[in-house]
Amino acid sequence: MTLAADLATRFEHALDTRPETLREAAQDFGRIVSAPPLAVLRPRSAAEIQDLLEFAGPRGIPVSVRGGGHSMYGQGQAGGGIVLDLRVMNRVGPVAYGQVTVQAGALWREVLAATLPHGRTPPVLTDYLGAGVGGVLSAGGLGGAAHRHGLVADQVLELEVVTGAGEHRVCSPDRDSGLFHAVLAGLGQCAVIVTATLRLVPVPDRVRRYCLYYAGLTDYLADQRRLAEEQRFTYLEGQARPAGEHGWQYMIEAVAPYDGPCPPDDAGLLDGLGHDRAALETEDLGYGEFAHRVDTDEEVLRETGAWLYPHPWLNLLLPHGSAESVVRAVLADPAFRDLRDTGLVLLYPLLSDRLRAPLFRRPSGEVLYLFALLRTAPPGSPETVAAMVAANRAAYELARSLGAVAYPVNALPMSDADWRDHYGSRRPAFAAAKRRFDPHLVLARGHGLRF
């Protein structure tokens, strides 16, 4: 019996080998790398995931996990292998005792839809709520509340997983902690997340959103650091925006919560900051309205078709000491000029001691910055895409030479030497966990990690 026939017999009810299904699984949000799998499996339970991994492991069949499908460079693909499509496993709830258990295939907007009626929310959310729970936890997860609460992954109380060896296990910081810490921010290398129990916090009635504008990068970064360290706001992000033909201006986006009729104290929250006071923007929103603010942008991009264009994105974590020089150099680089017309540049602070997942790599120092270059390539232009990926590589090399690390969800090919440098002293422990929990090395090969 051939491998395909053996698979079809064993997983008949859940296996999909239709050409259109394989084409979809061979793509991701990045629309750059395409690796058709042998089949797509849509499990309905942990037992079915366990069955697949027990079958695939000894045969060396690559297995990847797909939820929201928002990887950039084939990280969620399994060329010649099996893609586990978890979208059917999207149950959320119940919400009780300040926590909620959610299946890994749920989207974050589905999580929020279940928790908001109870007046609760995860402490940290990514800006885009259409991403899958399992994928975000595997990457770590960053958002505007990370300077206070850490990673999205740091809010996990317990995990139910199936290891690459086919073991169905429950783990937490106090129970099987080695597995727990190998899964969170572990890029899917050791286990498939089945469910995650998340910590929840109360939701405010309203939030006030401030946009503070700066002509200079030096003052912007200084105020971003100050606001992160002083914890004035519950949400803190920022952007670099084009100004004139060649210049840039900078915008801090900060949010303060409030309940009842009394709004926040603007004067106190903004005291001592160096922004352009004449350009200050404020708006008051319900918490749910603020959390879903990116939805409109997604709708527009889907309507125009741009949502399906290639997305050669790059996310870097910069140390405070070299952040200004890296940002200036990259934004002045002609290879990134398209950011002025069709891209988005995020630039906001994080505090290293709040980012607790051991496998989440960060630069040295107390304060670091996410520098995200989010751009779109025209369709049908492989040469342009290749040039943009090459520009990502050059920016990564420059930033790394000045102490930065990649947030590894990028359109950026990574060599074995790159990964060794990325994980540094953590590499041996990570490799040992990989060999222990995925002894056949079948999980998440799309990242290019070698152990």
Side-chain angles (χ1 to χ4, degrees), residues 16-27 40 42:
D16 192 340
T17 58
R18 292 175 297 172
E20 60 270 25
T21 299
L22 301 185
R23 283 195 298 270
E24 179 186 5
Q27 291 288 350
V40 173
R42 298 187 180 92

Side-chain angles (χ1 to χ4, degrees), residues 32-380:
I32 299 170
V33 173
S34 178
L38 183 64
V40 173
L41 186 73
R42 298 187 180 92
R44 297 166 297 185
S45 67
E48 293 181 358
I49 298 173
Q50 184 176 14
D51 196 21
L52 173 69
L53 287 169
E54 287 176 343
F55 176 88
R59 294 167 176 81
I61 302 171
V63 176
S64 70
V65 178
R66 184 183 183 95
H70 286 275
S71 59
M72 293 292 144
Y73 205 71
Q75 292 93 339
Q77 297 173 26
I82 308 297
V83 171
L84 276 172
D85 186 341
L86 297 187
R87 285 177 290 184
V88 174
M89 298 181 65
N90 63 355
R91 186 178 66 251
V92 180
V95 177
Y97 309 110
Q99 63 186 50
V100 63
T101 298
V102 304
Q103 290 187 312
L107 306 182
W108 287 98
R109 62 167 61 106
E110 294 169 337
V111 175
L112 203 58
T115 64
L116 281 183
H118 296 269
R120 295 291 186 271
T121 180
V124 185
L125 291 167
T126 57
D127 289 333
Y128 176 60
L129 298 179
V133 167
V136 170
L137 297 182
S138 295
L142 293 171
H147 74 289
R148 280 196 167 209
H149 298 289
L151 305 169
V152 178
D154 292 330
Q155 317 313 314
V156 177
L157 303 174
E158 185 177 86
L159 290 171
E160 176 191 5
V161 306
V162 177
T163 69
E167 298 175 330
H168 184 197
R169 296 164 70 165
V170 174
C171 55
S172 71
D174 302 317
R175 176 184 179 183
D176 209 350
S177 61
L179 176 58
F180 182 79
H181 293 305
V183 173
L184 295 175
L187 304 181
Q189 293 297 315
C190 293
V192 175
I193 299 173
V194 178
T195 68
T197 300
L198 308 171
R199 183 170 72 92
L200 301 175
V201 295
V203 171
D205 290 340
R206 306 277 290 171
V207 300
R208 175 161 290 182
R209 176 175 178 263
Y210 301 83
C211 293
L212 317 177
Y213 291 90
Y214 293 74
L217 179 58
T218 302
D219 290 342
Y220 171 85
L221 291 175
D223 278 0
Q224 282 278 38
R225 175 171 188 158
R226 178 177 182 178
L227 291 177
E229 293 178 331
E230 294 180 359
Q231 303 279 288
R232 294 192 197 182
F233 295 96
T234 57
Y235 173 100
L236 182 62
E237 288 198 6
Q239 299 176 17
R241 294 181 170 182
E245 181 66 22
H246 302 289
W248 293 84
Q249 67 172 342
Y250 305 91
M251 185 271 286
I252 291 177
E253 181 186 21
V255 171
Y258 66 97
D259 296 307
C262 298
D265 174 13
D266 294 349
L269 287 170
L270 304 180
D271 181 54
L273 300 180
H275 62 286
D276 180 354
R277 286 165 175 73
L280 172 67
E281 298 173 0
T282 64
E283 64 174 336
D284 294 291
L285 303 165
Y287 178 83
E289 185 182 5
F290 171 73
H292 285 280
R293 67 199 178 283
V294 178
D295 290 2
T296 301
D297 296 332
E298 178 185 352
E299 291 171 5
V300 171
L301 292 172
R302 286 189 183 277
E303 289 174 0
T304 62
W307 190 259
L308 300 180
Y309 292 179
H311 295 92
W313 289 6
L314 179 65
N315 295 268
L316 301 171
L317 297 169
L318 312 179
H320 177 75
S322 61
E324 183 169 347
S325 59
V326 172
V327 172
R328 289 190 187 281
V330 172
L331 295 185
D333 186 342
F336 287 95
R337 183 171 177 78
D338 58 283
L339 282 167
R340 304 181 64 84
D341 301 317
T342 62
L344 175 66
V345 180
L346 300 179
L347 180 60
Y348 63 84
L350 303 161
L351 300 179
S352 185
D353 64 357
R354 305 298 170 100
L355 311 174
R356 299 183 296 279
L359 287 178
F360 185 83
R361 310 313 301 143
R362 72 216 66 176
S364 61
E366 298 176 357
V367 180
L368 55 143
Y369 298 86
L370 174 68
F371 185 37
L373 308 169
L374 313 182
R375 49 190 186 154
T376 302

Side-chain angles (χ1 to χ4, degrees), residues 424-447:
S425 63
R426 294 279 182 182
R427 172 81 180 200
F430 193 14
K434 176 71 169 179
R435 290 191 295 270
R436 177 183 174 191
F437 299 119
D438 181 25
H440 303 290
L441 309 181
V442 296
L443 287 178
R445 291 185 183 175
H447 284 278

